[in-house]
């Protein structure tokens, strides 16, 4: 009984001492202007995205008159164009075909847009598409960029670095001077395509930190932590660098360190970028690989899209080639008839033929 009272007394004292400790106040992370822009999506289609785009297996329409979106799939070796996704109003212009390839109603996909990068020449830019599929409650995010009439899915956004120096006009003030040899290439393209169903999103991204002739490869992977403005660091025994610990793109959050650590490990270093790329005029967007879509030089409206579909569906596929190539064969009928005369299996039939 005494032991029980002693244990209860000790437990009461322990709990009282814990309650007397100062409590840590946990507050949510305050979003900065850049992070607040992540939730600013508009219905208006960006000027460079307006029109009809053609790919290897599809046609896309970002309407220049409204926020309508349409997707035409080029199936059966591109011999048939299937109006897979379109608003219900499109069927009022031309009725939909009824066959095994075309559904009774097209997918009504809604898209909003957020600008990532836009240059002053209005010849290139990068956006994040907020896609609402009719079968999903959640939004799907697809980053894209446009350079000289070509749309890319794999691209980097360049972030420059500046140095504060005294102003030549007023030494007490400082100005920012661009350091051209140092910049950061943020891997932004993470989606596999603009599709009528949710695309595949990459599990890992690879960004690059460039310092003159030194290129550092920084790997990011999916994370379930909260987005903060925390920075991570790495060094090469000579210099120490800092980059954002978290990278958010395509609606996913990526990190370059494990857990709460801010130390980037296993950095790979090279002397240059080991891939071919295309730069925009202001060198703010770097796209890699082949263009996913190419802009069609035609009015960007649903009437023009339907015209392209009708013209393609009028074509008829040529007959398939014969399984065996044709050739001139001499059967030597005389020799065959002579062999037939001495064939015992047909003796009775030939005797009957002789007495007819």
């Amino acid at each position: 009984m005494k032991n029980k009272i002693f244990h209860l007394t000790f437990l009461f004292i322990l709990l009282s001492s814990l309650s007397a400790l100062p409590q840590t106040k946990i507050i949510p992370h305050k979003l900065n202007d850049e992070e607040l822009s992540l939730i600013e999506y508009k219905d208006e289609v960006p000027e460079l995205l307006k029109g009809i785009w053609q790919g290897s297996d599809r046609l896309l329409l970002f309407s220049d008159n409204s926020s309508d979106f349409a997707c035409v799939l080029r199936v059966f070796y591109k011999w048939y164009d299937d109006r897979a996704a379109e608003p219900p109003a499109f069927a009022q212009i031309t009725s939909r075909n009824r066959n095994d390839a075309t559904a009774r109603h097209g997918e009504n996909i809604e898209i909003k847009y957020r600008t990532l990068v836009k240059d002053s020449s209005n010849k290139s830019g990068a956006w994040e598409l907020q896609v609402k599929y009719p079968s999903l409650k959640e939004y799907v995010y697809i980053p894209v960029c446009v350079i000289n009439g070509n749309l890319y899915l794999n691209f980097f956004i360049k972030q420059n670095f500046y140095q504060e120096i005294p102003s030549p006009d007023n030494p007490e003030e400082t100005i920012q001077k661009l350091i051209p040899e140092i910049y950061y290439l943020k891997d932004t393209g993470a989606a596999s395509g603009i599709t009528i169903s949710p695309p595949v999103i990459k599990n890992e991204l690879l960004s690059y930190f460039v310092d003159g002739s030194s290129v550092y490869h920084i790997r990011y992977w999916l994370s379930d932590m909260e987005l903060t403005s925390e920075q991570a660091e790495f060094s090469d025994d000579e210099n120490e660098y800092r980059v954002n610990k978290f990278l958010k793109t395509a609606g996913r959050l990526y990190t370059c360190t494990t857990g709460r650590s801010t130390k980037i490990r296993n950095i790979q270093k090279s002397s240059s970028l080991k891939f071919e790329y295309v730069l925009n005029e202001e060198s703010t967007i770097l796209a890699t690989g082949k263009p996913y879509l190419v802009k069609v030089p035609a009015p960007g409206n649903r009437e023009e899209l339907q015209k392209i579909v009708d013209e393609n569906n009028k074509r008829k596929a040529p007959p398939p080639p014969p399984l065996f190539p044709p050739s001139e064969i001499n059967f030597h009928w005389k020799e065959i008839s002579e062999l037939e005369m001495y064939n015992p299996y047909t003796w009775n039939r030939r005797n009957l033929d002789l007495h007819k």
Side-chain angles (χ1 to χ4, degrees), residues 271-284:
S271 58
S272 62
L273 297 174
K274 302 298 183 181
F275 51 82
E276 297 182 356
Y277 56 86
V278 178
L279 278 172
N280 63 337
E281 290 186 358
E282 297 184 354
S283 299
T284 54

Side-chain angles (χ1 to χ4, degrees), residues 135-177:
S135 59
L136 296 179
K137 294 183 179 179
E138 300 81 9
Y139 289 103
V140 176
Y141 300 88
I142 305 175
V144 299
C145 78
V146 174
I147 300 178
N148 297 328
N150 296 323
L151 189 146
Y152 297 86
L153 293 175
N154 299 317
F155 64 99
F156 300 84
I157 294 179
K158 183 179 179 181
Q159 297 180 353
N160 295 317
F161 285 79
Y162 298 85
Q163 181 183 9
E164 289 188 350
I165 60 175
S167 174
D169 301 330
N170 187 359
E172 296 182 357
E173 297 180 356
T174 60
I175 61 174
Q176 290 186 343
K177 180 183 179 182

Side-chain angles (χ1 to χ4, degrees), residues 191-243:
S192 62
I194 306 175
T195 54
I196 61 173
S197 59
V200 178
I201 305 298
K202 296 178 182 178
N203 294 325
E204 294 184 359
L205 300 176
L206 190 61
S207 298
Y208 298 91
F209 188 94
V210 181
D211 183 0
S213 60
S214 300
V215 180
Y216 302 93
H217 307 202
I218 305 175
R219 186 174 68 91
Y220 287 81
W221 58 90
L222 287 173
S223 172
D224 56 358
M225 300 180 66
E226 293 183 359
L227 173 64
T228 66
S229 57
E230 192 174 7
Q231 290 191 327
E233 60 182 20
F234 67 94
S235 62
D236 62 351
D237 299 331
E238 296 180 0
N239 301 309
E240 185 173 313
Y241 306 97
R242 289 179 177 270
V243 297

